[in-house]
């Protein structure tokens, strides 16, 4: 079984994906990590993320184990690296280069410890539209920019990163704008996605709605 969860930054995709993966015994692939890995690898090497050709070269060379290694860097989840990921993700060559790695996971899904799984939950921006259009269940999660910025701000604070709320909100809005207006695979719900606005829903309620949809058609 393949489940996709798309939506803007900090809409709660990761939390929902993890809960559904646990509930149905599926592996989990956060596709934003592939773009974050390219952004961070370039930054660490002192390369300019506005250089599309260089970004494409980094994307072509990226392997799954390298991505997991880069994810250990505290900067990987920073607001700044989120913006870098969003910039490089707008280059069609970067998206094309990362697509195979993203699709391969659905063919051979594995848990974090490497053991095989019977399916996967994907999260990202285009997993229901481009990466896994064949998915069994597709969800599109959204919430207001202010609510998402507040969640991300608290998350960063909990990790000891002192980014001011105003900066997190500004980064969030800039990313929303770039992710939804780019020509290559813009952020939009798949035609067959179930759309959920979680501004007023807590995580348990979201899981309940999603599980209701899945259990009704499984
Ligand atoms: O979900 P995230 O914040 O880790 O994603 C970082 C950036 O990567 C996001 O701003 C846009 C890009 N992204 C994408 O273009 N397509 C995906 N499937 C996932 C992420």
């Amino acid at each position: 079984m393949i489940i996709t969860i798309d939506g803007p930054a900090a809409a709660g995709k990761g939390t929902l994906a993890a809960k559904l993966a646990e509930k149905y015994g599926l592996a989990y692939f956060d596709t934003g990590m592939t773009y974050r890995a390219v952004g961070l690898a370039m930054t660490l090497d002192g390369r300019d993320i506005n250089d599309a050709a260089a970004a494409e070269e980094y994307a072509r060379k990226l392997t799954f184990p390298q991505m997991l290694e880069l994810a250990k860097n505290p900067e990987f989840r920073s607001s700044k690296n989120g913006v870098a990921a969003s910039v490089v993700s707008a280059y069609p060559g970067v998206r094309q280069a990362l697509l195979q790695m993203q699709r391969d996971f659905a063919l051979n899904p594995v848990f974090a410890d490497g053991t095989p799984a019977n399916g996967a939950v994907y999260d990202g921006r285009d997993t229901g539209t481009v990466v896994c259009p064949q998915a069994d269940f597709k969800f599109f999660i959204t919430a207001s920019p202010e609510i998402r910025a507040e969640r991300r701000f608290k998350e960063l604070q909990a990790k000891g990163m002192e980014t001011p709320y105003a900066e997190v909100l500004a980064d969030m809005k800039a990313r929303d704008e770039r992710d939804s207006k780019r020509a290559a695979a813009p952020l939009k719900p798949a035609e067959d996605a179930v759309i959920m606005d979680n501004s007023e829903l807590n995580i348990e309620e979201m899981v309940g709605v999603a599980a209701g949809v899945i259990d009704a058609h499984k």
Side-chain angles (χ1 to χ4, degrees):
M1 172 162 71
I2 301 290
I3 301 173
T4 60
I5 304 175
D6 291 304
K13 302 183 298 288
T15 315
L16 177 62
K19 294 264 183 193
L20 291 180
E22 194 188 335
K23 186 170 169 63
Y24 296 102
L26 304 170
Y28 169 40
F29 190 3
D30 166 8
T31 58
M33 287 177 71
T34 59
Y35 299 99
R36 283 180 181 266
V38 172
L40 185 61
M42 291 184 78
T43 307
L44 292 175
D45 287 351
R47 301 295 296 265
D48 180 6
I49 53 165
N50 296 302
D51 180 343
E56 190 177 327
E57 195 186 310
Y58 273 77
R60 261 194 267 109
K61 280 200 244 144
L62 185 73
T63 63
F64 206 87
Q66 272 167 354
M67 178 184 82
L68 297 180
E69 200 49 43
L70 283 159
K72 292 180 188 160
N73 187 310
E75 272 304 307
F76 191 79
R77 291 277 164 203
S78 70
S79 195
K80 190 167 160 275
N81 195 43
V83 174
S86 169
V87 170
V88 299
S89 76
Y91 304 137
V94 168
R95 303 200 71 83
Q96 193 55 42
L98 297 176
L99 188 58
Q100 201 56 50
M101 191 202 286
Q102 296 167 353
R103 284 188 171 158
D104 283 350
F105 192 81
L107 301 175
N108 284 306
V110 284
F111 293 109
D113 66 1
T115 54
N118 271 333
V121 183
Y122 273 74
D123 100 39
R125 303 292 185 286
D126 64 342
T127 64
T129 50
V130 178
V131 182
C132 293
Q134 81 288 4
D136 302 284
F137 298 101
K138 301 179 184 179
F139 298 97
F140 189 88
I141 316 286
T142 180
S144 72
E146 288 74 19
I147 286 187
R148 290 185 285 115
E150 197 180 312
R151 286 188 193 144
R152 186 50 58 88
F153 172 67
K154 285 185 182 151
E155 249 171 56
L156 293 172
Q157 242 186 356
K159 285 184 192 158
M161 293 184 194
E162 290 301 328
T163 316
Y165 171 78
E167 192 180 319
V168 177
L169 180 61
D171 283 354
M172 191 72 74
K173 287 185 172 168
R175 282 174 61 185
D176 283 358
E177 171 93 5
R178 199 180 301 106
D179 294 351
S180 52
K181 301 249 167 83
R182 69 183 178 217
L187 170 66
K188 65 165 195 279
E191 275 174 18
D192 49 351
V194 173
I195 300 177
M196 295 197 264
D197 184 326
N198 78 5
S199 303
E200 308 294 331
L201 291 181
N202 66 30
I203 181 62
E204 295 313 327
E205 289 166 328
M206 272 212 302
V207 174
V209 173
V213 171
I214 295 166
D215 293 341
H217 296 95
K218 213 165 30 132

